[in-house]
Amino acid sequence: MRLGASPIQKFTVAIRMLAYGCSADQVDEYLKLGESTARECLGQFVEGVIAQFATEYLRKPTLEHIQRLLREGKDRGFPCMTPGSCNDINVLQCSPVFDDIINNRAPQVLFIVNGNNYNKGYYLIDGIYPKWSTFIDAIAAPHTLKDKLFTERQESARKDVERAFGVLQAQFAMIRKPALAWSVELMWKIMMTCIIIRNMIVEDERDIYLNFKDPLEFAQE
């Protein structure tokens, strides 16, 4: 009887392709699996991760999470800033985040700026986006100390999302390199799988991160 590839081989193929961005035909010599088998292993792996862990690790933030993130934004000079940022004009056309804003499902927050009352959070953007009330743009040519301080803080906070995706790309070379003829559906599953695994890593290691704040500290205040 001829034995097939072991589960450890198949699992290693998928992780290796995600981590190193190697093509399916590059794992043959190391793991003794053909190109078609390697592709199949990757497809089944990402489907399994999404089916098993997406509910927990891709869930929308709870009210408690939102309040904690809003407080962190306030500490950085942006009270009631909606967690996240919009750093790609293409996101504006397809992100479900903005569907929530349009359909009035976005988290409700209350704050006052210059005597005006607002009940929705806002996103930090650069100058290529439309002038929506929920977008806060940087000052293009700041001259006063006040404008310069605002622009510095705005750009610093906005870059956090880009840095987060930079960490994701550093950990999973597959999403950093050009797509190797994957279907759009499989590319989406690969991206979701990388985010899920990254969230798992953060959950496991965050207590050793520099400047880590235990969420329970906010509940005690």
Side-chain angles (χ1 to χ4, degrees):
M1 181 178 67
R2 183 178 180 181
L3 297 177
S6 69
I8 294 179
Q9 278 179 287
K10 297 176 180 178
F11 175 82
T12 304
V13 163
I15 292 295
R16 197 172 175 82
M17 293 176 70
L18 291 174
Y20 297 110
C22 55
S23 60
D25 60 354
Q26 289 181 291
V27 298
D28 183 20
E29 182 177 351
Y30 182 74
L31 292 164
K32 308 302 180 183
L33 291 178
E35 179 180 356
S36 61
T37 303
R39 285 179 176 270
E40 184 179 355
C41 290
L42 178 64
Q44 292 183 357
F45 176 79
V46 296
E47 289 180 0
V49 169
I50 293 173
Q52 187 69 28
F53 299 107
T55 301
E56 179 177 358
Y57 289 96
L58 287 181
R59 65 186 184 276
K60 288 187 175 182
T62 63
L63 181 60
E64 180 182 349
H65 294 153
I66 292 173
Q67 292 301 320
R68 175 169 61 86
L69 292 171
L70 292 176
R71 290 189 61 175
E72 291 179 356
K74 182 179 180 180
D75 291 341
R76 300 184 63 181
F78 290 95
C80 296
M81 177 182 67
T82 302
S85 174
C86 189
N87 288 315
D88 189 338
I89 189 63
N90 296 320
V91 172
L92 185 61
Q93 307 299 329
C94 59
S95 173
V97 173
F98 300 103
D99 290 344
D100 289 346
I101 294 175
I102 294 172
N103 295 315
N104 203 31
R105 297 194 302 263
Q108 296 292 310
V109 293
L110 299 174
F111 62 101
I112 301 175
V113 175
N114 295 330
N116 297 317
N117 295 314
Y118 297 91
N119 61 4
K120 289 186 176 65
Y122 49 88
Y123 292 81
L124 305 180
I125 63 169
D126 56 29
I128 65 175
Y129 294 90
K131 301 300 182 182
W132 291 2
S133 61
T134 193
F135 288 165
I136 303 297
D137 191 4
I139 299 173
H143 295 292
T144 66
L145 291 177
K146 181 178 179 180
D147 289 347
K148 290 179 179 179
L149 177 61
F150 172 84
T151 300
E152 179 184 338
R153 297 282 182 87
Q154 197 266 11
E155 291 178 348
S156 174
R158 182 167 55 86
K159 289 294 184 181
D160 282 352
V161 174
E162 293 182 2
R163 296 187 186 105
F165 275 97
V167 171
L168 192 67
Q169 290 178 328
Q171 197 152 35
F172 300 99
M174 174 165 279
I175 62 176
R176 183 174 69 246
K177 297 181 177 180
L180 300 174
W182 305 107
S183 67
V184 174
E185 180 182 3
L186 183 55
M187 287 191 293
W188 179 86
K189 292 178 180 178
I190 288 172
M191 177 60 75
M192 294 300 103
T193 298
C194 292
I195 294 174
I196 290 172
I197 296 176
R198 177 60 192 168
N199 286 343
M200 290 178 175
I201 294 172
V202 170
E203 182 180 69
D204 183 61
E205 299 180 351
R206 62 186 175 186
D207 58 331
I208 64 174
Y209 292 167
L210 184 65
N211 299 324
F212 167 72
K213 295 181 180 180
D214 189 341
L216 295 178
E217 295 178 1
F218 293 92
Q220 294 172 359
E221 293 181 1

